[in-house]
Amino acid sequence: MSLRNTLSFLLYDWLQVEQLSQRARYADHSRETFEAVFDTCERIAVEKYAPFNRLVDTQEPHFDGEKVVLPQATYEARKAYAESGMLSAAQDYELGGMQLPFVVDSAANTFFAKASISIGSNMLTTGNANLLMAHGTALQKQVFAHNEFNGRFTGTMCLSEPQAGSSLSDVATRAEPDGPDYEADPLGPRYRLRGNKMWISSGDHELSENIVHLVLAKVPDANGKLVPGVKGISLFVVPKKMVDTQGQLTGERNDVVLAGLNHKLGWRGTTNTLLNFGEGKYPVRGAAGAIGYRVGNVGDGLRCMFHMMNEARIAIGMAATMLGFAGYEASLEYAKNRPQGRPLGAGGKDAAAPQVPIIAHADVRRMLLAQKAYTEGALALNLLAARLVDEQHTGDAPSAAEAQLLLEVLTPIAKSWPSEWCLEANSLAIQIHGGYGYTRDFPVEQYWRDNRLNMIHEGTHGIQANDLLGRKVRMQDGAGLKLLTQRMKATAEQAKQWPALADFAGQLTQAWDQVLHTTALAWQWNDANRSLANAVPYMQAFGHVVLAWIWLDVVCAVQTRSDAQLDAAAQGRMACAQFFFHYELPKIGAWLQVVQTGDTTFVDLIEEGF
Amino acid sequence: MSLRNTLSFLLYDWLQVEQLSQRARYADHSRETFEAVFDTCERIAVEKYAPFNRLVDTQEPHFDGEKVVLPQATYEARKAYAESGMLSAAQDYELGGMQLPFVVDSAANTFFAKASISIGSNMLTTGNANLLMAHGTALQKQVFAHNEFNGRFTGTMCLSEPQAGSSLSDVATRAEPDGPDYEADPLGPRYRLRGNKMWISSGDHELSENIVHLVLAKVPDANGKLVPGVKGISLFVVPKKMVDTQGQLTGERNDVVLAGLNHKLGWRGTTNTLLNFGEGKYPVRGAAGAIGYRVGNVGDGLRCMFHMMNEARIAIGMAATMLGFAGYEASLEYAKNRPQGRPLGAGGKDAAAPQVPIIAHADVRRMLLAQKAYTEGALALNLLAARLVDEQHTGDAPSAAEAQLLLEVLTPIAKSWPSEWCLEANSLAIQIHGGYGYTRDFPVEQYWRDNRLNMIHEGTHGIQANDLLGRKVRMQDGAGLKLLTQRMKATAEQAKQWPALADFAGQLTQAWDQVLHTTALAWQWNDANRSLANAVPYMQAFGHVVLAWIWLDVVCAVQTRSDAQLDAAAQGRMACAQFFFHYELPKIGAWLQVVQTGDTTFVDLIEEGF
């Protein structure tokens, strides 16, 4: 199935997104306007992204002593994307936006992600601008966010430091008030920042007029000390080049220096940088220290930054998913066209018969169907999550609250599950190609390398698992978990009406009961370290049951929409659901068992025993 | 634990390798001589291999128009290896060998594999020469094999062709008698070969005086037709440069041409080539066609080639294992030294406390112990397999026959299990490093890329699975399976005497019963295609139970050798066994279930449904 057809089914038949046009914000929209957006995105992705995916891998960003050098294709891809209006697609009409639902925006971006995940890093720019729209002053929005939406500027998020990766409470970048009049600057309270920021994607390049860094830093207390922990963190907008209140470059360079480019395993189309703020190389306005304007209140930085976290994590889940999808497409094409071997006949193999395409071999089909079940399931989950974002923003109050709650619980899964299983899908895509898959003449090895990032950035697997078991399933006395339980029950109830799905409904209910039972047992120890020791296996099981639910819900839509005779696409979806219930769901027992017993095997071992 | 200490325990305490010196062939050997070999190998690996592992990845082999260019380090690594005598370590004294047991030879080679898997490809040369020792004429041994053992020549195995990868029955390289006197050549019946060979590792380079290709090709029948199937395949020794009966180069070049170098995802220190035989670029002795000398009888080529298969597959399993081990070492070192975050205290985290090394975090410990359990378990399995090779060659007749039988059953696991799970170990090593693991400044991403080859070469995962379920567990009326059952029972019986192991003994017995039960059910359909459709999940479950057995057997040795108080290394081994029984063994249910029911989900789906 093509991505386009898969999206059509999931958006219109499953998620009923056309109904969104009944809401005032989306009143001008319809299936036709959505499809027009998809036409544009698919065309740009095919013309400006896909042909250069290998190029951006081999022509890695480098620094020539003055500036970062990127292939011409990267400039053209960015230009086409910006001109398409996709940077502001979800924004208000007044801002030049299309007021596109986030779910449609997300779906439209899958074409780019599948074509070349790393050539564009527009998600960062949109995320940066969205954050400013939520927390910035009117002028910060106008000067920075609007110019990101219109394509003049690009954006980054500067959280990590060399000594503070997952542990943001250890951020050591200092922000000190810039002179006695620091609060009087029209762009916001003005500070001087000094520190180093690591893993900054798109941290330096010449793709845009300016780069808008959003930087976490700490304001020293009266004694000049930084407050330990995340409470001391504030947020600053730090432009690479200084701007006036009209958003025009003043010609001054800010004191932000590229200290190094990271050389990565994959995802090489995007620069990833170490940036030094305020090292004094480019003194600005007569002094060292990078000038930054505070966004929000002192000490409120992490809360502001996390505003965008759900959307960002869905975007990462979607990136992993589309890399999986790309590998599936490539290996399906290969399997249909590569002749090799013969099936077993009644009397063994007939060596004189012509070879068959490898899709005739059961094990190749297993690897194809696994990829399809992983990637299309992950796509469905992430579209559902995106649809919940829309509900949160435009639904009536009770519905919005429910959507937010469900989204909180599902986000760690929407991010982690595709990162793990669509990576596995990419490995299967390599395997189907045999030796050819191990060469750089075929695209699948790059997908696999690119995808390995997704379990690391935007919160590692371990961080997601702690978030899920430590916070999300427990918050508001388990309200999120209860809501998810209701949704699963509703799906199972619906599924029971079709004989083909009744068994799956029973299996889902049973599996989810195990998860609920395990969740309770996980917290029996009065010892958070022990409860969370097996958070990752817990998340793996939780994720697999969520995906089983998603698949069951998707094939309910198949059954609803179909006549007795299922077409090929519907048969494919039914086979995915069956694969997931037969091959995948039974895996949860092994993961849950160690959570239930509070297994401490690796906690107990003395360090010298490793 | 260092590799050296781990090997010592497994070889001396577990496998009782010192007892081999009671056999005539190994009478001169003792723990001291083995340790002297390890000293040498470890030193060369540390000095000549490890420092250049990244270099050979970045300075990939290239063809300058005349010859293949490799880094100087590759020449020096090969020289040091050849001078160490390791090429002929297992050979007779008369051949300049050391008469080293294969298990010790294998253990000695782990140092090189861990230091740089791809800088050396000596295994191919040894394998090539061993094959000639088994099937060649006296002169073929002297001219080719001896000069491979002494380091003058290197060797290749030329099986695959562009249209014949896994399907060797489709080999299309033709070998035609070279003139009426073709049978009179002292080097063996002389043929002219024409065809293309793909994926030939070390297929062209300047590392040695000459390259000895062992080539599968078909001799046309009386009508000039090639016999379909594997029965038509014969084996030929085809030197890159012609040699006389003294093994001296005659100055003539043979008609073997490098058609291209493959550009791989990893394992880049070794050239991988497409070779054209007999395309006429280098006519030799007045005619086109590469000159080759037949080894063994016409039609007997695959049998001869498979002679070396068990050893080669153990070597691949060992390669995968040592890449896993290298990643484990690197990530353990990182985890001990990287400060990040704080453990949860009674009242939550104390943000003002100093950061702790990440080995203090439970999830990092989980990822470390999983790596240790995978890689040390895989190492034990492969050393056991190597020990069985020795038993097969030097044991008394009944013991040799048993060893051969057990080896037949275990070989697909010794090859496939490390390929899958030590790759997973490498992924965990990346994860422990966080963002740094995704950069090329740390070694773990290369290990992961290098390791991805092992599920592909020397028989793919699917081929191994078909071999296991289709042949090995059924041969001789299940004799191999029965023998393995006896061994497992013996281990379980032994383990029962220690309270710490009694539970594991019960779990092993129960798990193995499930495998036996499933094996019977797998063949209930009277339809080999259905029986083998789920051969890979079957192999995954089989492999996991084998590893559980291995770990239980290893910790029996721990208990036997230890006083009541276990030292750190012993505690580490006990923790691995516990990890394997708690976290890994329970996974088998999901894999076995689909075999038991003869699941045909992916077989039934129409092609258009994918």
Side-chain angles (χ1 to χ4, degrees), chain A residues 154-307:
Chain A
T154 52
T156 75
M157 308 265 199
C158 303
L159 288 77
S160 299
E161 299 178 3
Q163 84 298 344
S166 292
S167 181
L168 286 176
S169 61
D170 292 290
V171 157
T173 297
R174 298 171 74 92
E176 292 177 280
D178 184 31
D181 66 337
Y182 79 101
E183 284 190 295
D185 197 302
L187 287 172
R190 195 180 61 242
Y191 289 73
R192 293 282 183 165
L193 277 72
R194 286 177 184 79
N196 313 306
K197 290 290 177 179
M198 186 59 163
W199 310 122
I200 311 309
S201 285
S202 303
D204 201 12
H205 55 72
E206 308 292 322
L207 291 165
S208 53
E209 266 186 66
N210 203 359
I211 301 175
V212 180
H213 303 292
L214 281 173
V215 182
L216 294 184
K218 289 185 174 178
V219 181
D221 64 16
N223 303 316
K225 291 252 168 75
L226 300 185
V227 181
V230 297
K231 287 176 192 134
I233 298 175
S234 304
L235 179 65
F236 302 86
V237 56
V238 183
K240 175 181 175 182
K241 299 171 185 170
M242 302 305 292
V243 293
D244 63 22
T245 55
Q246 306 303 306
Q248 297 306 311
L249 304 192
T250 63
E252 303 157 289
R253 162 122 205 206
N254 202 356
D255 195 5
V256 182
V257 178
L258 175 69
L261 289 168
N262 289 310
H263 295 102
K264 292 170 289 177
L265 169 59
W267 208 291
R268 292 186 188 152
T270 306
T271 53
N272 187 274
T273 61
L274 173 60
L275 297 179
N276 288 352
F277 289 82
E279 69 171 33
K281 183 168 178 184
Y282 297 106
V284 55
R285 299 186 185 166
I291 289 178
Y293 308 99
R294 203 181 69 227
V295 178
N297 294 325
V298 172
D300 218 17
L302 207 58
R303 195 184 64 82
C304 294
M305 202 56 121
F306 268 74
H307 175 87

Side-chain angles (χ1 to χ4, degrees), chain A residues 239-521:
Chain A
K240 175 181 175 182
K241 299 171 185 170
M242 302 305 292
V243 293
D244 63 22
T245 55
Q246 306 303 306
Q248 297 306 311
L249 304 192
T250 63
E252 303 157 289
R253 162 122 205 206
N254 202 356
D255 195 5
V256 182
V257 178
L258 175 69
L261 289 168
N262 289 310
H263 295 102
K264 292 170 289 177
L265 169 59
W267 208 291
R268 292 186 188 152
T270 306
T271 53
N272 187 274
T273 61
L274 173 60
L275 297 179
N276 288 352
F277 289 82
E279 69 171 33
K281 183 168 178 184
Y282 297 106
V284 55
R285 299 186 185 166
I291 289 178
Y293 308 99
R294 203 181 69 227
V295 178
N297 294 325
V298 172
D300 218 17
L302 207 58
R303 195 184 64 82
C304 294
M305 202 56 121
F306 268 74
H307 175 87
M308 297 310 305
M309 208 49 88
N310 283 342
E311 279 93 339
R313 288 181 173 171
I314 295 169
I316 297 304
M318 204 60 113
T321 299
M322 296 321 298
L323 283 164
F325 205 103
Y328 173 56
E329 276 193 352
S331 61
L332 178 59
E333 178 75 11
Y334 186 82
K336 285 178 173 174
N337 291 296
R338 166 74 174 171
Q340 193 74 185
R342 294 157 191 85
L344 290 170
K349 293 185 185 181
D350 175 6
Q355 299 205 65
V356 297
I358 60 171
I359 196 171
H361 300 305
D363 194 51
V364 171
R365 292 179 146 248
R366 178 184 65 81
M367 295 190 281
L368 287 171
L369 197 59
Q371 287 181 73
K372 184 176 166 76
Y374 297 157
T375 56
E376 292 187 15
L379 179 58
L381 170 62
N382 276 282
L383 289 174
L384 170 65
R387 176 66 187 78
L388 290 171
V389 171
D390 287 318
E391 199 60 28
Q392 184 187 343
H393 292 157
T394 66
D396 58 30
S399 179
E402 270 203 4
Q404 179 171 358
L405 191 58
L406 196 57
L407 195 56
E408 291 285 337
V409 180
L410 288 178
T411 299
I413 304 301
K415 194 272 182 184
S416 70
W417 199 90
S419 301
E420 181 169 354
W421 293 94
C422 294
L423 177 68
E424 175 61 21
N426 288 149
S427 185
L428 294 173
I430 292 174
Q431 193 69 19
I432 286 173
H433 283 75
Y436 294 99
Y438 198 70
T439 70
R440 308 201 297 275
D441 299 326
F442 286 79
V444 286
E445 62 85 27
Q446 186 184 346
Y447 299 144
W448 188 65
R449 284 187 289 111
D450 286 350
N451 218 348
R452 186 62 188 79
L453 180 59
N454 291 312
M455 278 198 284
I456 298 171
H457 63 171
E458 282 294 341
T460 64
H461 231 46
I463 297 281
Q464 301 300 327
N466 278 351
D467 182 43
L468 179 69
L469 179 56
R471 222 158 58 82
K472 297 300 178 61
V473 300
R474 306 179 82 208
M475 63 184 190
Q476 299 172 44
D477 203 21
L481 203 58
K482 280 175 201 145
L483 181 57
L484 182 54
T485 303
Q486 285 170 23
R487 298 289 171 104
M488 290 212 187
K489 279 195 176 153
T491 300
E493 275 307 310
Q494 192 194 1
K496 278 186 196 159
Q497 67 184 292
W498 294 288
L501 305 186
D503 270 1
F504 300 156
Q507 288 166 39
L508 175 65
T509 304
Q510 202 173 31
W512 185 243
D513 283 347
Q514 281 184 61
V515 170
L516 293 176
H517 176 62
T518 305
T519 309
L521 290 180

Side-chain angles (χ1 to χ4, degrees), chain A residues 11-194:
Chain A
L11 292 174
Y12 307 128
D13 293 313
W14 182 51
L15 290 175
Q16 314 276 331
V17 296
E18 284 169 275
Q19 292 179 5
L20 283 172
S21 54
Q22 293 164 13
R23 295 183 183 172
R25 181 172 180 82
Y26 308 126
D28 296 341
H29 281 295
S30 65
R31 181 161 177 162
E32 284 65 38
T33 62
F34 299 155
E35 291 294 310
V37 171
F38 295 159
D39 284 341
T40 303
C41 290
E42 190 171 21
R43 181 179 49 74
I44 297 172
V46 166
E47 291 175 3
K48 303 288 185 185
Y49 277 59
F52 309 104
N53 191 44
R54 177 63 72 177
L55 180 83
V56 298
D57 185 63
T58 52
Q59 292 187 18
E60 205 172 8
H62 70 275
F63 184 65
D64 71 1
E66 274 190 38
K67 49 185 191 293
V68 172
V69 179
L70 294 168
Q72 184 58 27
T74 304
Y75 289 83
E76 284 164 18
R78 173 173 152 74
K79 184 160 173 279
Y81 188 92
E83 287 174 1
S84 75
M86 283 301 293
L87 284 165
S88 59
Q91 302 302 315
D92 296 353
Y93 292 137
E94 301 103 79
L95 294 178
M98 305 183 210
Q99 296 194 182
L100 209 59
F102 183 64
V103 63
V104 177
D105 190 30
S106 295
N109 275 302
T110 63
F111 295 103
F112 303 104
K114 179 168 83 76
S116 179
I117 193 63
S118 74
I119 202 172
S121 51
N122 305 301
M123 184 268 284
L124 275 170
T125 297
T126 309
N128 177 306
N130 280 339
L131 188 152
L132 288 170
M133 294 303 290
H135 299 287
T137 64
L139 196 62
Q140 285 173 343
K141 292 181 196 178
Q142 198 178 309
V143 168
F144 299 109
H146 295 189
N147 283 315
E148 293 185 83
F149 288 135
N150 69 23
R152 281 183 64 208
F153 299 170
T154 52
T156 75
M157 308 265 199
C158 303
L159 288 77
S160 299
E161 299 178 3
Q163 84 298 344
S166 292
S167 181
L168 286 176
S169 61
D170 292 290
V171 157
T173 297
R174 298 171 74 92
E176 292 177 280
D178 184 31
D181 66 337
Y182 79 101
E183 284 190 295
D185 197 302
L187 287 172
R190 195 180 61 242
Y191 289 73
R192 293 282 183 165
L193 277 72
R194 286 177 184 79

Side-chain angles (χ1 to χ4, degrees), chain A residues 165 340 342 534 582-583 599, chain B residues 165 170 340 534 582-583 599:
Chain A
Q340 193 74 185
R342 294 157 191 85
N534 291 292
H582 289 190
Y583 285 78
D599 200 291
Chain B
D170 292 291
Q340 193 75 185
N534 292 292
H582 288 191
Y583 286 79
D599 200 291

Side-chain angles (χ1 to χ4, degrees), chain B residues 61 68 70 74 78 117-125 128 153-158 199-208 210-214 240 256 258 261-262 264 267-275:
Chain B
V68 173
L70 293 168
T74 305
R78 176 176 147 70
I117 193 64
S118 74
I119 202 172
S121 50
N122 305 302
M123 185 266 286
L124 274 169
T125 296
N128 177 305
F153 300 169
T154 52
T156 77
M157 309 263 199
C158 303
W199 311 123
I200 311 309
S201 285
S202 303
D204 202 11
H205 56 72
E206 308 293 321
L207 291 166
S208 53
N210 203 359
I211 302 175
V212 179
H213 303 293
L214 281 173
K240 175 180 173 181
V256 182
L258 175 70
L261 289 167
N262 290 310
K264 292 171 290 178
W267 209 291
R268 291 185 187 152
T270 306
T271 54
N272 187 274
T273 61
L274 173 60
L275 296 179

